[in-house]
Amino acid sequence: MLLPIPVPGAHTLLRNCLVIFTMLVALAAAMTGWCPVSCICNDQLVVHCSGQGLAEVPLDLPLATRQLLLSDNKITELPTVQLNYLSDLVYLDCSNNSLYHLSKTTFINLKKLAYLDLSFNKLVQVDDRMFVALASLVVLRLTDNPGLDQMHVDAFAENSALQVLDISRNNLTLLNISTLITLPALRSIGVSGNPWECGCSNEDLCLWMQVEDYKFQDDESTLCRGPAPLSGMRLSELGLKLRVDCHQGLDSWDYLFLLTVGFLIFSGGTVSAWVMGVVMLLYERWENKQENEEGDEEEGSSGEEQGNGDLNKPIQQV
């Protein structure tokens, strides 16, 4: 005997439909996003939150956001977890805020980010891992941070796609360029407005600016703060001068280098002379052997001719 299948009532059906509808709406909101109250969103996945007096980044940003504009607010930090939900983000403008610190995980999941503006903030240093995850970063603007006086030598080591770097008008006095000069795509650099010390510690920077001046967008206004005799001079004018002035004396490594080069030259000369002597000796022996063989051949030929001549003489009868 078949049991009757219970038919849900109208109230139950309505409730189930509401639950499904709510879930679908929530899913759609997570992807396309409910626009935060203080922001303006458009169908191009651009979220404008600029100039709203925000003290923090809105937490209900659409997950599919591609451009996020947070400029001209009062934001003091970027929320790592919420920001890294925006895995499709390609453009981020955080300029003119109050950011003072960025952790090593702030941008850890923003693999597609191509444009980043951190200008006009309160950053004091750039760590070696701060931008390590930004493999697609093309433009980085890091200007007008009055307290920014430290920049790690490997700060941009992993940003091989970087084309434009602007670190103008900060408080930098020294810059180690050993990583920067290896970036294959870098074509525009801004370093003006910093209190540069034009001593031997900045010799490489000055020489780089002199040799590849076309890369520096503000060469004419990139001036020395010190030392006093060089104050007001352009960094790009001092490259060769510092190269000469900073290498007048020889240190222990220079002496070791010269000693090594001298030893190699001496060894090379000795070996070359020995090889040449062996070659000449072998050639002389071969030449003597050839002469001896030719002499033997001539003697043999003379003997044969003499023998033939005796045989051709007429036999005298007795």
Side-chain angles (χ1 to χ4, degrees), residues 20 45 127 134 242 288:
I20 294 174
L45 305 177
D127 298 327
L134 303 181
L242 290 177
N288 292 336

Side-chain angles (χ1 to χ4, degrees), residues 36 55 71 75 89-90 130 144 174 184 193 242 287 289 296 316:
S71 59
I75 300 171
L89 195 66
V90 296
M130 187 176 292
D144 299 279
L174 303 174
L242 290 177
E287 192 175 35
K289 183 179 179 181
D296 293 341
Q316 295 180 357

Side-chain angles (χ1 to χ4, degrees), residues 70-286:
L70 298 169
S71 59
D72 303 306
N73 285 297
K74 301 176 182 179
I75 300 171
T76 57
E77 62 178 336
L78 297 177
T80 300
V81 176
Q82 289 79 5
L83 190 62
N84 282 290
Y85 281 144
L86 310 179
S87 57
D88 289 328
L89 195 66
V90 296
Y91 187 103
L92 178 59
D93 185 357
C94 298
S95 62
N96 200 19
N97 277 281
S98 299
L99 298 173
Y100 62 90
H101 175 70
L102 298 174
S103 71
K104 298 178 180 180
T105 57
T106 300
F107 308 112
I108 196 66
N109 195 41
L110 303 184
K111 309 293 185 182
K112 299 179 182 179
L113 192 66
Y115 181 96
L116 177 60
D117 193 342
L118 296 169
S119 301
F120 294 95
N121 278 284
K122 298 180 180 180
L123 298 173
V124 295
Q125 64 180 12
V126 177
D127 298 327
D128 59 331
R129 308 292 294 177
M130 187 176 292
F131 307 115
V132 69
L134 303 181
S136 302
L137 190 64
V138 175
V139 178
L140 175 59
R141 303 200 181 282
L142 199 58
T143 71
D144 299 279
N145 286 264
L148 182 57
D149 59 1
Q150 296 182 38
M151 192 164 292
H152 196 280
V153 59
D154 293 325
F156 313 107
E158 303 298 326
N159 307 120
S160 58
L162 190 63
Q163 296 184 22
V164 179
L165 174 64
D166 196 350
I167 53 175
S168 304
R169 298 178 298 279
N170 292 305
N171 196 33
L172 298 169
T173 57
L174 303 174
L175 182 64
N176 190 323
I177 65 168
S178 56
T179 298
L180 287 176
I181 60 177
T182 64
L183 296 179
L186 192 61
R187 58 178 176 79
S188 179
I189 314 165
V191 295
S192 66
N194 287 286
W196 296 114
E197 285 292 326
C198 296
C200 295
S201 298
N202 262 341
E203 171 195 343
D204 291 338
L205 174 60
C206 295
L207 189 61
W208 188 26
M209 291 188 67
Q210 187 166 6
V211 174
E212 296 186 342
D213 58 334
Y214 58 90
K215 286 187 176 182
F216 293 85
Q217 55 191 248
D218 46 13
D219 172 42
E220 297 294 330
S221 56
T222 305
L223 308 176
C224 301
R225 175 70 61 88
L230 302 178
S231 180
M233 294 187 65
R234 288 188 296 144
L235 271 69
S236 58
E237 296 177 335
L238 299 172
L240 294 177
K241 172 179 170 53
L242 290 177
R243 177 65 71 182
V244 173
D245 293 346
C246 296
H247 296 276
Q248 290 183 346
L250 300 178
D251 57 20
S252 57
W253 287 106
D254 294 324
Y255 286 112
L256 180 60
F257 173 77
L258 293 175
L259 182 62
T260 304
V261 171
F263 174 75
L264 292 175
I265 293 175
F266 173 77
S267 301
T270 303
V271 171
S272 300
W274 180 80
V275 171
M276 184 63 69
V278 170
V279 171
M280 293 299 297
L281 179 62
L282 292 175
Y283 178 77
E284 185 178 355
R285 289 184 177 180
W286 176 81

